[in-house]
Amino acid sequence: MCTAMKFNECVLQDTPGDHNKVWKWHIQDPASQRLTWNKPPKSVLVIKKIRDATLLQPFKELCIFLTEVKNMIVYVEKKVLEDPAISGDENFGAITKKFCTFREDLDDISNRVDFIICLGGDGTLLYASSLFQESVPPVMAFHLGSLGFLTPFKFDTYQSQVTQIIEGNAAIVLRSRLKVRVLKENWEKKARVDEKGIILTNGDIENSRKVVQYQVLNEVVVDRGPSSYLSNVDLFLDGHLITTVQGDGVIVSTPTGSTAYAVAAGASMIHPNVPAIMITPICPHSLSFRPIVVPAGVELKIMLSRDARNTAWVSFDGRKRQEICHGDSITITTSCFPVPSICFRDPVNDWFESLAQCLHWNVRKKQNYLSSEDEEF
């Protein structure tokens, strides 16, 4: 797969007939990124929302079309085919025998798939992202779920739309991800907590460390968990202490995640083409801490404060939730592996269309027109 892209450039040029030099800036056009294929795609991963009966028929239609009409190799997760509604369908059984199957966290399909088709809501795209810890194939997402902010395609005309993608005629938006590194000190320790929720440390635990890494498309959420105490975590930026977060927690999100949990917590909405990381407090116990935006590429570090009364909890795109104790750390920066999301029209129009349809942005009853006679009253 190859995408034609133009990054921001600064070029020093000589002016003809003059000794002055002129700087020429080239700013990337958000609508200029296109999907092109070095060779025709042969394999596709179909991701279907689990336990949703309304998706059975679209899933079967799409798989038959890809296998019988387009002669493509179809990859499907093993647990999807274990659904009785699929495994018990004798007519569809002949098609499923041609599928290649895999299991999450066990089988590596990163080098086998040319592109991905998602059937469901935004959660299916987040799940597709989690399957690939490095390069992600282009993703075509159909809106068959509850929200659909990240799924611009309608299934009514799927045959022509899929054919267009296979031919390589589509715009894409590169959705940045966060590379998250969680370091656990004394990770085998089972911390004891008293009836008031205060941590009781045990000094005779053998020291051990565990490091886990995640690729996150929406956000990293650090919160106070089940404790009634405020969370108390220190936030570092490139090694410098920025602030201590006191409140219900903090959200570190990508521009794609700005329209998810972050906007519900009071943050601004940022287009996915903007290179940035958002830091949003959750119910801060301070009027001075407001949502901020920092450049993509900085390194954030989150740790429990020394005087924190309770532990914290962290989750990644709503998954892999785990406890953070004293001495543990969460390091976050921009990942080198974005998610190429295929657009229905182009990155700008798709984004504003999603705002209008999903979040009812800029929807209000208009004021009535006033004539000159009305203005006198």
Side-chain angles (χ1 to χ4, degrees):
M1 190 272 293
C2 174
T3 55
M5 298 169 51
K6 292 182 179 179
F7 292 97
N8 298 347
E9 296 179 342
C10 182
V11 181
L12 183 61
Q13 296 181 347
D14 291 323
T15 304
D18 197 346
H19 295 291
N20 296 329
K21 295 181 181 296
V22 180
W23 287 101
K24 296 291 185 180
W25 286 94
H26 302 279
I27 305 299
Q28 177 186 359
D29 179 5
S32 67
Q33 298 172 154
R34 306 292 299 183
L35 172 67
T36 58
W37 301 106
N38 292 328
K39 56 183 179 180
K42 296 295 183 181
S43 59
V44 56
L45 167 61
V46 178
I47 295 180
K48 169 190 166 295
K49 185 178 179 182
I50 305 296
R51 295 183 298 275
D52 190 337
T54 63
L55 297 179
L56 291 175
Q57 191 57 35
F59 172 74
K60 294 176 181 179
E61 288 184 19
L62 176 64
C63 290
I64 292 173
F65 174 74
L66 292 171
T67 305
E68 301 295 328
V69 179
K70 294 301 181 180
N71 296 317
M72 301 199 71
I73 301 171
V74 176
Y75 282 80
V76 178
E77 194 168 6
K78 187 175 179 63
K79 63 183 179 182
V80 172
L81 298 183
E82 291 173 351
D83 186 337
I86 295 178
S87 60
D89 189 338
E90 296 181 358
N91 295 328
F92 190 61
I95 299 295
T96 60
K97 292 179 180 179
K98 301 180 181 180
F99 294 167
C100 294
T101 60
F102 69 98
R103 294 164 295 175
E104 182 188 7
D105 297 331
L106 294 177
D107 300 319
D108 183 12
I109 59 170
S110 56
N111 295 322
R112 305 179 191 175
V113 176
D114 291 327
F115 72 103
I116 305 170
I117 297 179
C118 293
L119 301 177
D122 292 345
T124 57
L125 182 58
L126 296 175
Y127 181 68
S129 169
S130 70
L131 295 175
F132 298 86
Q133 293 304 300
E134 293 188 354
S135 296
V136 185
V139 183
M140 181 183 192
F142 284 96
H143 176 29
L144 292 168
S146 56
L147 184 59
F149 195 92
L150 306 178
T151 54
F153 289 92
K154 303 295 186 294
F155 196 76
D156 297 343
T157 56
Y158 75 92
Q159 294 188 6
S160 61
Q161 292 174 342
V162 171
T163 299
Q164 187 175 355
I165 300 307
I166 293 175
E167 293 174 352
N169 183 18
I172 63 169
V173 55
L174 297 179
R175 299 185 179 275
S176 65
R177 295 195 292 179
L178 299 174
K179 182 177 71 173
V180 186
R181 184 172 177 266
V182 180
L183 184 144
K184 293 284 190 74
E185 296 282 359
N186 299 323
W187 70 279
E188 293 178 342
K189 178 181 69 175
K190 296 182 179 179
R192 294 183 294 114
V193 181
D194 70 1
E195 59 183 7
K196 294 183 179 179
I198 299 177
I199 302 171
L200 302 177
T201 58
N202 190 344
D204 59 359
I205 298 298
E206 182 181 356
N207 184 37
S208 59
R209 308 178 79 188
K210 179 182 179 182
V211 179
V212 184
Q213 188 165 297
Y214 303 95
Q215 296 284 335
V216 177
L217 179 57
N218 259 0
E219 75 267 309
V220 179
V221 178
V222 180
D223 60 70
R224 59 190 175 99
S227 173
S228 59
Y229 290 106
L230 294 174
S231 70
N232 201 329
V233 297
D234 294 332
L235 176 63
F236 299 84
L237 192 151
D238 286 341
H240 302 284
L241 178 64
I242 300 301
T243 188
T244 296
V245 182
Q246 289 184 312
D248 282 353
V250 64
I251 306 167
V252 180
S253 61
T254 63
T256 294
S258 70
T259 50
Y261 195 174
V263 75
S268 297
M269 296 179 289
I270 298 181
H271 190 277
N273 271 333
V274 178
I277 298 175
M278 303 182 63
I279 305 171
T280 308
I282 307 172
C283 298
H285 197 246
S286 169
L287 295 177
S288 62
F289 189 9
R290 288 293 176 262
I292 58 175
V293 180
V294 297
V298 301
E299 183 179 87
L300 300 173
K301 188 175 183 179
I302 300 175
M303 299 182 68
L304 271 181
S305 300
R306 287 186 178 181
D307 55 352
R309 294 183 177 183
N310 58 290
T311 62
W313 289 77
V314 62
S315 60
F316 315 94
D317 283 343
R319 308 179 75 214
K320 309 292 184 180
R321 185 170 171 81
Q322 54 196 270
E323 190 176 20
I324 299 298
C325 302
H326 283 92
D328 299 343
S329 64
I330 305 167
T331 305
I332 306 170
T333 190
T334 304
S335 171
C336 297
F337 305 104
V339 175
S341 183
I342 301 174
C343 302
F344 177 69
R345 286 191 293 177
D346 61 73
V348 174
N349 280 293
D350 281 11
W351 192 68
F352 278 102
E353 186 70 19
S354 296
L355 290 181
Q357 289 188 359
C358 300
L359 302 183
H360 304 291
W361 182 74
N362 206 26
V363 175
R364 67 181 297 272
K365 185 177 181 180
K366 293 184 179 180
Q367 292 179 327
N368 294 327
Y369 169 76
L370 290 180
S371 64
S372 57
E373 297 179 353
D374 294 330
E375 292 178 351
E376 297 177 358
F377 296 94

mmCIF file of all heavy atoms in Angstrom, residues 245-293:
data_model
loop_
_atom_site.group_PDB
_atom_site.id
_atom_site.type_symbol
_atom_site.label_atom_id
_atom_site.label_comp_id
_atom_site.label_asym_id
_atom_site.label_seq_id
_atom_site.Cartn_x
_atom_site.Cartn_y
_atom_site.Cartn_z
ATOM 1 N N VAL A 245 -2.641 16.622 39.283
ATOM 2 C CA VAL A 245 -4.067 16.526 38.963
ATOM 3 C C VAL A 245 -4.821 16.049 40.199
ATOM 4 O O VAL A 245 -4.605 14.933 40.670
ATOM 5 C CB VAL A 245 -4.308 15.550 37.790
ATOM 6 C CG1 VAL A 245 -5.786 15.514 37.436
ATOM 7 C CG2 VAL A 245 -3.479 15.952 36.580
ATOM 8 N N GLN A 246 -5.675 16.911 40.721
ATOM 9 C CA GLN A 246 -6.551 16.544 41.823
ATOM 10 C C GLN A 246 -7.981 16.627 41.332
ATOM 11 O O GLN A 246 -8.443 17.697 40.916
ATOM 12 C CB GLN A 246 -6.344 17.462 43.030
ATOM 13 C CG GLN A 246 -5.022 17.255 43.745
ATOM 14 C CD GLN A 246 -4.897 18.119 44.981
ATOM 15 O OE1 GLN A 246 -5.161 19.312 44.932
ATOM 16 N NE2 GLN A 246 -4.513 17.514 46.094
ATOM 17 N N GLY A 247 -8.677 15.524 41.349
ATOM 18 C CA GLY A 247 -10.042 15.472 40.849
ATOM 19 C C GLY A 247 -10.449 14.038 40.607
ATOM 20 O O GLY A 247 -9.975 13.128 41.289
ATOM 21 N N ASP A 248 -11.310 13.839 39.627
ATOM 22 C CA ASP A 248 -11.727 12.476 39.307
ATOM 23 C C ASP A 248 -10.732 11.775 38.390
ATOM 24 O O ASP A 248 -10.784 10.557 38.235
ATOM 25 C CB ASP A 248 -13.112 12.487 38.652
ATOM 26 C CG ASP A 248 -14.221 12.663 39.659
ATOM 27 O OD1 ASP A 248 -13.924 12.650 40.872
ATOM 28 O OD2 ASP A 248 -15.383 12.832 39.249
ATOM 29 N N GLY A 249 -9.834 12.536 37.750
ATOM 30 C CA GLY A 249 -8.842 11.912 36.893
ATOM 31 C C GLY A 249 -8.418 12.826 35.769
ATOM 32 O O GLY A 249 -8.650 14.043 35.792
ATOM 33 N N VAL A 250 -7.790 12.241 34.752
ATOM 34 C CA VAL A 250 -7.291 13.007 33.613
ATOM 35 C C VAL A 250 -7.397 12.150 32.357
ATOM 36 O O VAL A 250 -7.265 10.923 32.405
ATOM 37 C CB VAL A 250 -5.835 13.466 33.846
ATOM 38 C CG1 VAL A 250 -4.899 12.266 33.947
ATOM 39 C CG2 VAL A 250 -5.372 14.422 32.767
ATOM 40 N N ILE A 251 -7.663 12.800 31.227
ATOM 41 C CA ILE A 251 -7.779 12.144 29.924
ATOM 42 C C ILE A 251 -6.654 12.641 29.029
ATOM 43 O O ILE A 251 -6.468 13.850 28.872
ATOM 44 C CB ILE A 251 -9.125 12.440 29.247
ATOM 45 C CG1 ILE A 251 -10.290 12.079 30.161
ATOM 46 C CG2 ILE A 251 -9.237 11.722 27.912
ATOM 47 C CD1 ILE A 251 -11.618 12.644 29.681
ATOM 48 N N VAL A 252 -5.890 11.728 28.449
ATOM 49 C CA VAL A 252 -4.889 12.074 27.439
ATOM 50 C C VAL A 252 -5.370 11.472 26.127
ATOM 51 O O VAL A 252 -5.482 10.252 26.001
ATOM 52 C CB VAL A 252 -3.492 11.535 27.812
ATOM 53 C CG1 VAL A 252 -2.480 11.907 26.737
ATOM 54 C CG2 VAL A 252 -3.053 12.076 29.170
ATOM 55 N N SER A 253 -5.671 12.327 25.157
ATOM 56 C CA SER A 253 -6.343 11.836 23.946
ATOM 57 C C SER A 253 -5.670 12.335 22.679
ATOM 58 O O SER A 253 -4.939 13.322 22.672
ATOM 59 C CB SER A 253 -7.817 12.255 23.942
ATOM 60 O OG SER A 253 -7.933 13.665 23.962
ATOM 61 N N THR A 254 -5.948 11.619 21.611
ATOM 62 C CA THR A 254 -5.566 12.034 20.262
ATOM 63 C C THR A 254 -6.632 12.986 19.727
ATOM 64 O O THR A 254 -7.712 13.110 20.307
ATOM 65 C CB THR A 254 -5.483 10.815 19.337
ATOM 66 O OG1 THR A 254 -6.805 10.233 19.244
ATOM 67 C CG2 THR A 254 -4.510 9.771 19.874
ATOM 68 N N PRO A 255 -6.376 13.662 18.594
ATOM 69 C CA PRO A 255 -7.450 14.448 17.978
ATOM 70 C C PRO A 255 -8.672 13.604 17.636
ATOM 71 O O PRO A 255 -9.807 14.081 17.756
ATOM 72 C CB PRO A 255 -6.776 15.003 16.713
ATOM 73 C CG PRO A 255 -5.338 15.142 17.107
ATOM 74 C CD PRO A 255 -5.062 13.942 17.976
ATOM 75 N N THR A 256 -8.462 12.340 17.236
ATOM 76 C CA THR A 256 -9.606 11.460 16.988
ATOM 77 C C THR A 256 -10.416 11.274 18.264
ATOM 78 O O THR A 256 -11.650 11.274 18.244
ATOM 79 C CB THR A 256 -9.131 10.092 16.463
ATOM 80 O OG1 THR A 256 -8.538 10.263 15.182
ATOM 81 C CG2 THR A 256 -10.294 9.111 16.348
ATOM 82 N N GLY A 257 -9.741 11.141 19.409
ATOM 83 C CA GLY A 257 -10.423 10.979 20.681
ATOM 84 C C GLY A 257 -10.980 12.257 21.261
ATOM 85 O O GLY A 257 -11.661 12.213 22.293
ATOM 86 N N SER A 258 -10.713 13.393 20.624
ATOM 87 C CA SER A 258 -11.213 14.659 21.156
ATOM 88 C C SER A 258 -12.733 14.730 21.129
ATOM 89 O O SER A 258 -13.343 15.451 21.922
ATOM 90 C CB SER A 258 -10.624 15.836 20.370
ATOM 91 O OG SER A 258 -11.162 15.902 19.058
ATOM 92 N N THR A 259 -13.366 13.984 20.228
ATOM 93 C CA THR A 259 -14.826 13.992 20.136
ATOM 94 C C THR A 259 -15.452 12.838 20.917
ATOM 95 O O THR A 259 -16.647 12.573 20.769
ATOM 96 C CB THR A 259 -15.270 13.907 18.657
ATOM 97 O OG1 THR A 259 -14.593 12.820 18.016
ATOM 98 C CG2 THR A 259 -14.942 15.190 17.921
ATOM 99 N N ALA A 260 -14.648 12.167 21.739
ATOM 100 C CA ALA A 260 -15.158 11.064 22.558
ATOM 101 C C ALA A 260 -15.281 11.524 24.006
ATOM 102 O O ALA A 260 -15.984 12.476 24.306
ATOM 103 C CB ALA A 260 -14.247 9.848 22.407
ATOM 104 N N TYR A 261 -14.570 10.876 24.918
ATOM 105 C CA TYR A 261 -14.651 11.205 26.345
ATOM 106 C C TYR A 261 -14.204 12.646 26.609
ATOM 107 O O TYR A 261 -14.742 13.356 27.458
ATOM 108 C CB TYR A 261 -13.778 10.217 27.130
ATOM 109 C CG TYR A 261 -14.001 10.177 28.625
ATOM 110 C CD1 TYR A 261 -13.359 9.229 29.411
ATOM 111 C CD2 TYR A 261 -14.857 11.071 29.261
ATOM 112 C CE1 TYR A 261 -13.548 9.174 30.783
ATOM 113 C CE2 TYR A 261 -15.046 11.027 30.629
ATOM 114 C CZ TYR A 261 -14.391 10.080 31.387
ATOM 115 O OH TYR A 261 -14.579 10.034 32.736
ATOM 116 N N ALA A 262 -13.188 13.110 25.858
ATOM 117 C CA ALA A 262 -12.615 14.432 26.108
ATOM 118 C C ALA A 262 -13.642 15.549 25.946
ATOM 119 O O ALA A 262 -13.740 16.446 26.784
ATOM 120 C CB ALA A 262 -11.423 14.667 25.185
ATOM 121 N N VAL A 263 -14.419 15.517 24.871
ATOM 122 C CA VAL A 263 -15.399 16.591 24.656
ATOM 123 C C VAL A 263 -16.501 16.542 25.708
ATOM 124 O O VAL A 263 -17.043 17.576 26.107
ATOM 125 C CB VAL A 263 -15.988 16.515 23.224
ATOM 126 C CG1 VAL A 263 -16.979 15.371 23.087
ATOM 127 C CG2 VAL A 263 -16.665 17.819 22.849
ATOM 128 N N ALA A 264 -16.815 15.344 26.221
ATOM 129 C CA ALA A 264 -17.802 15.229 27.294
ATOM 130 C C ALA A 264 -17.282 15.849 28.589
ATOM 131 O O ALA A 264 -18.058 16.282 29.441
ATOM 132 C CB ALA A 264 -18.162 13.759 27.529
ATOM 133 N N ALA A 265 -15.932 15.895 28.725
ATOM 134 C CA ALA A 265 -15.315 16.481 29.914
ATOM 135 C C ALA A 265 -14.983 17.962 29.725
ATOM 136 O O ALA A 265 -14.347 18.556 30.590
ATOM 137 C CB ALA A 265 -14.051 15.699 30.277
ATOM 138 N N GLY A 266 -15.392 18.533 28.596
ATOM 139 C CA GLY A 266 -15.230 19.975 28.391
ATOM 140 C C GLY A 266 -14.116 20.388 27.467
ATOM 141 O O GLY A 266 -13.792 21.579 27.387
ATOM 142 N N ALA A 267 -13.506 19.458 26.743
ATOM 143 C CA ALA A 267 -12.400 19.804 25.846
ATOM 144 C C ALA A 267 -12.924 20.288 24.496
ATOM 145 O O ALA A 267 -14.103 20.136 24.169
ATOM 146 C CB ALA A 267 -11.495 18.599 25.649
ATOM 147 N N SER A 268 -12.021 20.859 23.721
ATOM 148 C CA SER A 268 -12.359 21.288 22.367
ATOM 149 C C SER A 268 -12.312 20.104 21.414
ATOM 150 O O SER A 268 -11.651 19.096 21.680
ATOM 151 C CB SER A 268 -11.381 22.360 21.886
ATOM 152 O OG SER A 268 -11.468 23.521 22.677
ATOM 153 N N MET A 269 -13.002 20.235 20.294
ATOM 154 C CA MET A 269 -12.963 19.213 19.258
ATOM 155 C C MET A 269 -11.881 19.582 18.245
ATOM 156 O O MET A 269 -11.852 20.712 17.752
ATOM 157 C CB MET A 269 -14.333 19.101 18.578
ATOM 158 C CG MET A 269 -15.422 18.628 19.511
ATOM 159 S SD MET A 269 -17.056 18.513 18.746
ATOM 160 C CE MET A 269 -17.453 20.253 18.532
ATOM 161 N N ILE A 270 -11.005 18.638 17.949
ATOM 162 C CA ILE A 270 -9.867 18.892 17.071
ATOM 163 C C ILE A 270 -9.907 17.930 15.890
ATOM 164 O O ILE A 270 -10.130 16.731 16.062
ATOM 165 C CB ILE A 270 -8.537 18.730 17.833
ATOM 166 C CG1 ILE A 270 -8.465 19.749 18.978
ATOM 167 C CG2 ILE A 270 -7.348 18.901 16.907
ATOM 168 C CD1 ILE A 270 -7.179 19.680 19.769
ATOM 169 N N HIS A 271 -9.695 18.456 14.698
ATOM 170 C CA HIS A 271 -9.703 17.623 13.496
ATOM 171 C C HIS A 271 -8.554 16.623 13.555
ATOM 172 O O HIS A 271 -7.446 16.956 14.004
ATOM 173 C CB HIS A 271 -9.579 18.497 12.247
ATOM 174 C CG HIS A 271 -9.821 17.754 10.980
ATOM 175 N ND1 HIS A 271 -8.840 17.015 10.343
ATOM 176 C CD2 HIS A 271 -10.951 17.606 10.232
ATOM 177 C CE1 HIS A 271 -9.341 16.468 9.250
ATOM 178 N NE2 HIS A 271 -10.613 16.806 9.159
ATOM 179 N N PRO A 272 -8.765 15.384 13.098
ATOM 180 C CA PRO A 272 -7.724 14.350 13.198
ATOM 181 C C PRO A 272 -6.450 14.644 12.422
ATOM 182 O O PRO A 272 -5.421 14.003 12.665
ATOM 183 C CB PRO A 272 -8.423 13.089 12.675
ATOM 184 C CG PRO A 272 -9.622 13.570 11.938
ATOM 185 C CD PRO A 272 -10.036 14.838 12.594
ATOM 186 N N ASN A 273 -6.464 15.599 11.494
ATOM 187 C CA ASN A 273 -5.242 15.938 10.775
ATOM 188 C C ASN A 273 -4.332 16.874 11.564
ATOM 189 O O ASN A 273 -3.207 17.137 11.141
ATOM 190 C CB ASN A 273 -5.582 16.590 9.430
ATOM 191 C CG ASN A 273 -5.745 15.564 8.320
ATOM 192 O OD1 ASN A 273 -5.171 14.494 8.378
ATOM 193 N ND2 ASN A 273 -6.539 15.885 7.318
ATOM 194 N N VAL A 274 -4.799 17.386 12.692
ATOM 195 C CA VAL A 274 -3.986 18.294 13.505
ATOM 196 C C VAL A 274 -3.030 17.471 14.369
ATOM 197 O O VAL A 274 -3.481 16.621 15.141
ATOM 198 C CB VAL A 274 -4.875 19.178 14.400
ATOM 199 C CG1 VAL A 274 -4.012 20.083 15.283
ATOM 200 C CG2 VAL A 274 -5.831 20.012 13.555
ATOM 201 N N PRO A 275 -1.728 17.690 14.265
ATOM 202 C CA PRO A 275 -0.768 16.923 15.076
ATOM 203 C C PRO A 275 -0.711 17.440 16.510
ATOM 204 O O PRO A 275 -0.057 18.445 16.795
ATOM 205 C CB PRO A 275 0.557 17.136 14.344
ATOM 206 C CG PRO A 275 0.400 18.476 13.674
ATOM 207 C CD PRO A 275 -1.062 18.619 13.338
ATOM 208 N N ALA A 276 -1.394 16.769 17.416
ATOM 209 C CA ALA A 276 -1.493 17.268 18.781
ATOM 210 C C ALA A 276 -1.838 16.144 19.747
ATOM 211 O O ALA A 276 -2.271 15.063 19.346
ATOM 212 C CB ALA A 276 -2.551 18.373 18.862
ATOM 213 N N ILE A 277 -1.633 16.411 21.025
ATOM 214 C CA ILE A 277 -2.080 15.555 22.114
ATOM 215 C C ILE A 277 -2.886 16.425 23.068
ATOM 216 O O ILE A 277 -2.466 17.533 23.402
ATOM 217 C CB ILE A 277 -0.898 14.909 22.869
ATOM 218 C CG1 ILE A 277 -0.089 14.009 21.935
ATOM 219 C CG2 ILE A 277 -1.395 14.089 24.065
ATOM 220 C CD1 ILE A 277 1.163 13.424 22.594
ATOM 221 N N MET A 278 -4.030 15.936 23.489
ATOM 222 C CA MET A 278 -4.910 16.706 24.360
ATOM 223 C C MET A 278 -4.839 16.171 25.785
ATOM 224 O O MET A 278 -4.820 14.957 26.003
ATOM 225 C CB MET A 278 -6.353 16.650 23.858
ATOM 226 C CG MET A 278 -6.523 17.126 22.443
ATOM 227 S SD MET A 278 -8.239 17.089 21.939
ATOM 228 C CE MET A 278 -8.942 18.257 23.081
ATOM 229 N N ILE A 279 -4.810 17.100 26.740
ATOM 230 C CA ILE A 279 -4.811 16.750 28.166
ATOM 231 C C ILE A 279 -6.039 17.409 28.791
ATOM 232 O O ILE A 279 -6.136 18.635 28.823
ATOM 233 C CB ILE A 279 -3.528 17.223 28.862
ATOM 234 C CG1 ILE A 279 -2.295 16.670 28.140
ATOM 235 C CG2 ILE A 279 -3.540 16.816 30.330
ATOM 236 C CD1 ILE A 279 -0.992 17.265 28.630
ATOM 237 N N THR A 280 -6.965 16.578 29.270
ATOM 238 C CA THR A 280 -8.235 17.081 29.781
ATOM 239 C C THR A 280 -8.481 16.559 31.188
ATOM 240 O O THR A 280 -8.544 15.343 31.388
ATOM 241 C CB THR A 280 -9.402 16.648 28.864
ATOM 242 O OG1 THR A 280 -9.110 17.016 27.517
ATOM 243 C CG2 THR A 280 -10.700 17.292 29.311
ATOM 244 N N PRO A 281 -8.629 17.451 32.179
ATOM 245 C CA PRO A 281 -8.945 16.977 33.533
ATOM 246 C C PRO A 281 -10.394 16.530 33.631
ATOM 247 O O PRO A 281 -11.266 17.050 32.918
ATOM 248 C CB PRO A 281 -8.693 18.212 34.403
ATOM 249 C CG PRO A 281 -8.960 19.366 33.489
ATOM 250 C CD PRO A 281 -8.520 18.913 32.121
ATOM 251 N N ILE A 282 -10.664 15.570 34.495
ATOM 252 C CA ILE A 282 -12.029 15.111 34.754
ATOM 253 C C ILE A 282 -12.452 15.673 36.114
ATOM 254 O O ILE A 282 -11.909 15.292 37.147
ATOM 255 C CB ILE A 282 -12.121 13.572 34.780
ATOM 256 C CG1 ILE A 282 -11.519 12.967 33.511
ATOM 257 C CG2 ILE A 282 -13.563 13.119 34.942
ATOM 258 C CD1 ILE A 282 -11.399 11.448 33.558
ATOM 259 N N CYS A 283 -13.401 16.603 36.093
ATOM 260 C CA CYS A 283 -13.896 17.239 37.320
ATOM 261 C C CYS A 283 -12.741 17.678 38.222
ATOM 262 O O CYS A 283 -12.622 17.210 39.363
ATOM 263 C CB CYS A 283 -14.823 16.287 38.081
ATOM 264 S SG CYS A 283 -16.293 15.809 37.172
ATOM 265 N N PRO A 284 -11.878 18.594 37.760
ATOM 266 C CA PRO A 284 -10.735 19.001 38.583
ATOM 267 C C PRO A 284 -11.176 19.796 39.804
ATOM 268 O O PRO A 284 -12.111 20.591 39.737
ATOM 269 C CB PRO A 284 -9.911 19.859 37.630
ATOM 270 C CG PRO A 284 -10.915 20.427 36.674
ATOM 271 C CD PRO A 284 -11.944 19.344 36.489
ATOM 272 N N HIS A 285 -10.469 19.589 40.915
ATOM 273 C CA HIS A 285 -10.760 20.324 42.146
ATOM 274 C C HIS A 285 -9.923 21.598 42.160
ATOM 275 O O HIS A 285 -9.247 21.925 43.143
ATOM 276 C CB HIS A 285 -10.470 19.453 43.373
ATOM 277 C CG HIS A 285 -11.104 19.961 44.614
ATOM 278 N ND1 HIS A 285 -10.367 20.439 45.679
ATOM 279 C CD2 HIS A 285 -12.405 20.095 44.969
ATOM 280 C CE1 HIS A 285 -11.188 20.836 46.638
ATOM 281 N NE2 HIS A 285 -12.428 20.635 46.232
ATOM 282 N N SER A 286 -9.942 22.304 41.044
ATOM 283 C CA SER A 286 -9.182 23.540 40.891
ATOM 284 C C SER A 286 -9.738 24.289 39.690
ATOM 285 O O SER A 286 -9.986 23.698 38.636
ATOM 286 C CB SER A 286 -7.695 23.236 40.677
ATOM 287 O OG SER A 286 -7.007 24.395 40.282
ATOM 288 N N LEU A 287 -9.918 25.589 39.834
ATOM 289 C CA LEU A 287 -10.435 26.390 38.723
ATOM 290 C C LEU A 287 -9.341 26.740 37.714
ATOM 291 O O LEU A 287 -9.627 27.246 36.642
ATOM 292 C CB LEU A 287 -11.070 27.682 39.259
ATOM 293 C CG LEU A 287 -12.318 27.504 40.124
ATOM 294 C CD1 LEU A 287 -12.796 28.858 40.647
ATOM 295 C CD2 LEU A 287 -13.428 26.829 39.338
ATOM 296 N N SER A 288 -8.083 26.466 38.068
ATOM 297 C CA SER A 288 -6.972 26.854 37.199
ATOM 298 C C SER A 288 -6.611 25.804 36.165
ATOM 299 O O SER A 288 -5.964 26.114 35.166
ATOM 300 C CB SER A 288 -5.737 27.164 38.051
ATOM 301 O OG SER A 288 -5.335 26.005 38.771
ATOM 302 N N PHE A 289 -6.991 24.553 36.392
ATOM 303 C CA PHE A 289 -6.618 23.483 35.462
ATOM 304 C C PHE A 289 -7.722 23.320 34.431
ATOM 305 O O PHE A 289 -8.813 22.860 34.735
ATOM 306 C CB PHE A 289 -6.374 22.188 36.224
ATOM 307 C CG PHE A 289 -5.774 21.093 35.362
ATOM 308 C CD1 PHE A 289 -5.323 21.336 34.083
ATOM 309 C CD2 PHE A 289 -5.649 19.798 35.844
ATOM 310 C CE1 PHE A 289 -4.770 20.349 33.289
ATOM 311 C CE2 PHE A 289 -5.103 18.787 35.069
ATOM 312 C CZ PHE A 289 -4.657 19.069 33.792
ATOM 313 N N ARG A 290 -7.436 23.708 33.215
ATOM 314 C CA ARG A 290 -8.380 23.598 32.112
ATOM 315 C C ARG A 290 -7.764 22.741 31.003
ATOM 316 O O ARG A 290 -6.554 22.539 30.966
ATOM 317 C CB ARG A 290 -8.725 24.998 31.574
ATOM 318 C CG ARG A 290 -9.610 25.789 32.533
ATOM 319 C CD ARG A 290 -10.977 25.141 32.625
ATOM 320 N NE ARG A 290 -11.848 25.771 33.596
ATOM 321 C CZ ARG A 290 -12.050 25.353 34.838
ATOM 322 N NH1 ARG A 290 -11.402 24.283 35.262
ATOM 323 N NH2 ARG A 290 -12.873 25.968 35.638
ATOM 324 N N PRO A 291 -8.568 22.230 30.086
ATOM 325 C CA PRO A 291 -8.025 21.399 28.998
ATOM 326 C C PRO A 291 -6.939 22.134 28.221
ATOM 327 O O PRO A 291 -7.077 23.328 27.925
ATOM 328 C CB PRO A 291 -9.253 21.133 28.121
ATOM 329 C CG PRO A 291 -10.419 21.260 29.051
ATOM 330 C CD PRO A 291 -10.045 22.336 30.024
ATOM 331 N N ILE A 292 -5.863 21.426 27.910
ATOM 332 C CA ILE A 292 -4.763 22.017 27.148
ATOM 333 C C ILE A 292 -4.408 21.110 25.983
ATOM 334 O O ILE A 292 -4.706 19.916 25.987
ATOM 335 C CB ILE A 292 -3.512 22.260 28.028
ATOM 336 C CG1 ILE A 292 -3.030 20.945 28.654
ATOM 337 C CG2 ILE A 292 -3.782 23.293 29.099
ATOM 338 C CD1 ILE A 292 -1.728 21.095 29.431
ATOM 339 N N VAL A 293 -3.771 21.703 24.980
ATOM 340 C CA VAL A 293 -3.312 20.970 23.795
ATOM 341 C C VAL A 293 -1.809 21.161 23.689
ATOM 342 O O VAL A 293 -1.318 22.292 23.739
ATOM 343 C CB VAL A 293 -4.012 21.483 22.516
ATOM 344 C CG1 VAL A 293 -3.515 20.714 21.296
ATOM 345 C CG2 VAL A 293 -5.519 21.363 22.647
#
